Amino acid sequence: MRRVVVVGGGYAGFYTAWQLEKRLRQDEAEVVVVDPRPYMTYQPFLPEVAAGSVEARHAAVSLRRHLRRSTLVPGTVTRIDHAQRQVEVGLADGGSRVLGYDAVVVTAGAVTRTLPIPGVAEEAIGLKHVEEAVAIRDRLLVAFDQASALPPGPERRRLLTVVVVGGGFTGVEGFGELLSLATALLRRYRELTADDLHFHLVEASGRILPEVSDRPGAWVVRSLERRGARVHLRTLVQSAVGGHVVLSDGEELDAGLIVWTAGNGANPVVARHTDLPVDGRGRVVVRADLRVGTPAEPVAGAWAAGDDAAVPDLAARTPGALTVPNAQHAVRQGRLLARNLVADLRGRPTKDYVHHDLGVVATLGLGRGVFESGPVVLTGFPAWLAHRGYHVLAVPSWERKVRVLAVWLPALLFGRDIVSLQSVQHPRDAFVRGGAPRAHG
């Protein structure tokens, strides 16, 4: 039986494997999915996970629950050797394994782009995985508890200072949701006031949300500033040593929470550890039908999609344009890739990827959002409803849709859950300090 190895279980990888299971005959090919995590992260929900509006597990789609015919290998692909038709997999125990294949699907995604700024690696938290979103939420809740017991002063100010770096969708949505959570918490902490909150959004370019046009982008900045936040445009973080943030606009502040969302970088496996063709940004070069290679030189048995693939955008007006790395494209590319791969296995023609943008929608906190599709622009509560409606439809499987709705509906009546479980990050501390059995001698 032929083997198809899917490198990465994110959006594109999950949807590719899911569709392959539906389209392949039982004895036609074996599908193997390699990913270090046992779930696909539905990343648009991460800002709401950080704010407590979505349960953390509901932003994760179990691979084993939905990929019932695929073989799942928990590990990280460290090398793709297409000349030998094999991938090398690093396992959790430190060992490695080599998997041969007849066809490979490269959907490893991108990684958080980091810069060599002093202190960032030690102090900042990303917002690309469920674990990071949970840690951000718990840190902010603990900061409120600690600050409420302190008199006004530098330490209270530090605890309630939040700096989010990056004005793209992840950064702006995360910033808006955290600001919404912090504002709501003030009702439960009588010792604190709105003047104690210090929220800073830092963006290197002259505008935020580059996916939307100038007018709604400017509205978002005004909306955040009316809520008491500071938006620093054309500003860089120069240092974050010990949580002391130094900005290029001259401002310095001590932050209790630094969230880094300043774009995506090339996946190092794809960029440096494969013999497949890659472009100058470390993405796999693919044709319009998602086969690796160029129209003149296709690479047999190799396919790619999602954030790690340079996919031609046939719907764009600009010649040579590539699709932007977002979930909307990754999902649709994964579905088409599966159809094309099956067609290729059966000797049938493939189809090109053409997708016209449906528009963009972002949450800015409970009851606030922005939506743009062509000439239609919505802001505030209508946009927030559009955001929730779109994503409850977009999250895969009815099981996840129902679970998310089951959290959202009670939250409308009772508000967010404000209990921190930060101690779960060190589960043995209480056991060791308080009652661990001791040897008798």
Side-chain angles (χ1 to χ4, degrees):
M1 190 187 304
R2 287 173 289 191
R3 174 184 286 171
V4 178
V5 171
V6 180
V7 180
Y11 282 114
F14 172 80
Y15 276 93
T16 297
W18 207 17
Q19 290 296 313
L20 285 174
E21 288 191 355
K22 296 176 181 179
R23 296 177 180 277
L24 289 169
R25 295 187 295 271
Q26 191 75 30
D27 60 348
E28 192 169 12
E30 175 194 13
V31 179
V32 179
V33 179
V34 183
D35 196 279
R37 291 178 171 83
Y39 55 82
M40 181 205 82
T41 302
Y42 190 73
Q43 292 185 1
F45 279 160
L46 293 185
E48 292 196 69
V49 171
S53 299
V54 170
E55 170 62 36
R57 287 184 176 87
H58 299 169
V61 179
S62 170
L63 298 181
R64 291 193 178 274
R65 184 184 185 99
H66 299 288
L67 302 180
R68 299 176 183 177
R69 289 175 49 195
S70 299
T71 300
L72 303 180
V73 178
T76 302
V77 170
T78 56
R79 178 173 294 278
I80 303 171
D81 185 353
H82 192 63
Q84 300 297 321
R85 298 287 180 108
Q86 61 186 27
V87 297
E88 182 177 315
V89 181
L91 305 176
D93 62 2
S96 64
R97 175 182 176 185
V98 174
L99 293 172
Y101 61 78
D102 297 281
V104 65
V105 176
V106 184
T107 52
V111 298
T112 301
R113 182 182 64 186
T114 56
L115 301 173
I117 299 172
V120 167
E122 294 78 16
E123 301 294 335
I125 303 176
L127 188 51
K128 200 173 183 65
H129 301 291
V130 173
E131 300 92 334
E132 293 172 323
V134 172
I136 290 169
R137 176 177 180 268
D138 285 343
R139 184 173 293 189
L140 183 61
L141 293 174
V142 169
F144 265 78
D145 281 335
Q146 294 175 343
S148 66
L150 296 174
E155 181 60 13
R156 177 191 274 192
R157 184 183 182 90
R158 182 191 70 81
L159 286 169
L160 299 181
T161 296
V162 176
V163 176
V164 175
V165 185
F169 258 83
T170 300
V172 171
E173 287 192 314
F175 186 78
E177 286 287 344
L178 288 174
L179 179 59
S180 178
L181 170 61
T183 304
L185 286 173
L186 292 176
R187 295 195 294 269
R188 308 295 180 184
Y189 290 84
R190 292 174 296 175
E191 306 90 343
L192 304 174
T193 69
D195 292 336
D196 291 310
L197 302 182
H198 306 281
F199 275 67
H200 298 260
L201 177 64
V202 182
E203 167 55 37
S205 70
R207 54 166 299 176
I208 62 174
L209 294 178
E211 297 87 347
V212 304
S213 58
D214 291 343
R215 185 177 176 185
W219 178 88
V220 172
V221 172
R222 292 195 302 271
S223 174
L224 293 173
E225 290 179 340
R226 283 197 299 267
R227 294 161 61 187
R230 290 276 308 280
V231 179
H232 304 258
L233 300 178
R234 299 183 180 87
T235 304
L236 300 174
V237 174
Q238 296 182 327
S239 174
V241 176
H244 182 73
V245 179
V246 180
L247 302 178
S248 62
D249 62 5
E251 187 160 353
E252 299 186 24
L253 46 98
D254 292 312
L257 175 61
I258 304 172
V259 181
W260 184 271
T261 69
N264 294 324
N267 190 301
V269 175
V270 175
R272 297 192 293 272
H273 302 291
T274 179
D275 55 355
L276 295 172
V278 297
D279 67 6
R281 297 180 60 183
R283 297 172 300 181
V284 181
V285 176
V286 302
R287 311 187 323 166
D289 64 355
L290 305 177
R291 191 197 306 269
V292 174
T294 64
E297 297 183 24
V299 178
W303 307 77
D307 292 359
D308 64 2
V311 180
D313 190 351
L314 301 185
R317 298 178 181 178
T318 306
L322 303 175
T323 59
V324 297
N326 63 24
Q328 195 176 128
H329 283 298
V331 169
R332 287 163 176 78
Q333 288 170 9
R335 289 170 174 162
L336 178 66
L337 193 158
R339 293 197 297 269
N340 281 348
L341 197 158
V342 172
D344 184 65
L345 290 175
R346 296 173 182 173
R348 298 174 183 171
T350 58
K351 295 182 179 180
D352 289 345
Y353 177 74
V354 182
H355 172 64
H356 296 276
D357 197 353
L358 299 176
V360 292
V361 61
T363 175
L364 302 173
L366 197 61
R368 301 178 176 91
V370 61
F371 168 85
E372 182 177 32
S373 180
V376 179
V377 175
L378 300 176
T379 57
F381 187 73
W384 178 78
L385 285 179
H387 173 272
R388 289 213 159 176
Y390 172 80
H391 285 299
V392 79
L393 292 174
V395 67
S397 85
W398 280 102
E399 171 257 341
R400 272 296 176 263
K401 298 179 198 297
V402 172
R403 288 183 186 275
V404 170
L405 282 172
V407 173
W408 275 347
L409 295 177
L412 290 176
L413 297 175
F414 306 111
R416 299 180 178 91
D417 194 326
I418 62 171
V419 175
S420 167
L421 295 177
Q422 190 175 44
S423 59
V424 77
Q425 298 172 36
H426 306 282
R428 296 188 66 254
D429 285 358
F431 176 71
V432 171
R433 289 196 308 267
R438 293 174 172 78
H440 296 282

